[in-house]
Amino acid sequence: MADMKQTFLGVGYTRDRAGLPLEAVRVPVPRPTADEVLIRVAASSLNPLEYKLADLNFMGRTPPVVLGFDLAGVVAGVGRDVEGVAVGDEVAAMAGLNGDGGWAATGGDGGSYAVAPRFLTVHKPSSVSFRDAAALPMCFLSAFAGLYGAVQAGATVYVPGGGGGVGHLAVQMAARALDAGTVISSGGRPQSIALARQSGAHFVFDYKRDDVAVEIAELTHGRGVDLVFDATYNEQSFAETAKTVRRGGSWIVLGVGPGRTTRLAETHSPVDAILAERGARHVNVNLLRYFSEPAMLDGEARGFLQRGMDLAMEWATKGLVVPHVSQTVDSTVEAISTGLLSLKEGGGALGKIAVIVDRDLAAGT
């Protein structure tokens, strides 16, 4: 680390609630604390959390804030308590959500660094590219937290939005890794419907044309599905998917959930009444809470998330859960801002958008 430069040009926001487009911001190269790993970033990917932080700064950070939480790269330094990874190792990781990310504003010419907790850092298999490894962490962990231990073998599972970043991984996870008996999905475009099918969904409905709740009732002979995993962040979707759960089933939602999808105001939602009528469980999965409420990040939580990161690489190697990268962009302010805007507006992005932060490192040169 003694030969490392002291600063780099990142991509993020310099003013509270500045929103999009993002800005280039020069920040110090971070130094890992005792249980952190410093990573020279080769690739990253885009997530809705990043534009939401730029819009609202709801973690209360003091700008400037560099974004880009999905990381794949090479270990450049380790904290004194870190074991199992060493300088020079190729890794995939997720940066702490209350810290800085690893996007650079240098157009793929490198020079970006980020720190990640050791428990969120795993060795990257040689068969998985830096780009694909970087497309997994946040979306994979979101699906993993919702489905792992919840999907029983042979269960009927409904994942709306099976062409989305979390959705297409959740469909693969349920169908190929967790042995669900029937996986149902939905989409609003031919491309997203096709990706949901490609990801292993047995039935995919067009929510713009089909009454999905009626279709699922017919498909399940009126019983409903055992489990819904809804990562759509859409109040209308929440109300519709809640109607598909069987009596005593589980409705699992990613994020803060019904009535609070904007974070700015709470509105009335019928979801809990719908679930109560069915005696179904309402479960919220929110990775952000681990970082906004540090007391939650106990040994059990750390172990669970580390297990998720390990399985992300293992299942990708086996071809069970593989990210669909529909677009790869260079790491520039303009390209990243444009990609995040497509996520914010909805309907434009399929699967994941990857970011090449260091072209030479990502290519293995």
Side-chain angles (χ1 to χ4, degrees), residues 135-356:
L136 281 169
M138 188 177 295
C139 283
F140 183 96
L141 287 179
S142 296
F144 177 81
L147 297 177
Y148 192 74
V151 175
Q152 303 300 312
T156 301
V157 177
Y158 175 35
V159 180
V166 176
H168 83 290
L169 298 179
V171 168
Q172 293 180 63
M173 195 176 295
R176 298 171 180 166
L178 300 179
D179 297 324
T182 302
V183 177
I184 304 165
S185 191
S186 57
R189 295 184 298 148
Q191 301 95 320
S192 59
I193 290 170
L195 179 55
R197 287 199 180 102
Q198 177 186 321
S199 298
H202 302 96
F203 302 92
V204 186
F205 298 109
D206 182 342
Y207 68 77
K208 292 183 178 179
R209 184 191 66 193
D210 303 320
D211 186 328
V212 178
V214 170
E215 295 285 355
I216 288 178
E218 291 181 0
L219 187 63
T220 60
H221 307 290
R223 180 174 180 269
V225 301
D226 299 302
L227 182 150
V228 168
F229 177 61
D230 194 326
T232 63
Y233 289 93
N234 182 282
E235 187 64 46
Q236 182 177 353
S237 172
F238 293 164
E240 291 301 314
T241 63
K243 297 174 184 176
T244 69
V245 183
R246 69 166 172 82
R247 292 192 174 277
S250 296
W251 187 80
I252 303 173
V253 62
L254 180 64
V256 291
R260 297 182 295 276
T261 53
T262 69
R263 286 188 174 267
L264 294 176
E266 186 168 347
T267 58
H268 172 74
S269 173
V271 168
D272 282 334
I274 295 170
L275 296 175
E277 189 273 333
R278 289 164 167 72
R281 293 193 311 145
H282 174 169
V283 181
N284 281 77
V285 172
N286 191 349
L287 293 182
L288 194 63
R289 288 192 64 195
Y290 289 117
F291 299 90
S292 60
E293 302 173 30
M296 292 187 63
L297 202 53
D298 57 14
E300 182 179 356
R302 287 170 180 253
F304 179 76
L305 294 174
Q306 183 164 21
R307 175 66 172 155
M309 288 296 296
D310 288 338
L311 286 176
M313 296 300 110
E314 178 183 327
W315 289 347
T317 301
K318 293 178 178 178
L320 298 175
V321 182
V322 179
H324 175 83
V325 178
S326 62
Q327 186 179 359
T328 302
V329 301
D330 283 337
S331 191
T332 66
V333 171
E334 181 180 11
I336 288 171
S337 295
T338 299
L340 289 177
L341 183 61
S342 74
L343 295 182
K344 183 176 181 179
E345 292 178 340
L350 190 68
K352 291 288 293 181
I353 299 174
V355 181
I356 300 302

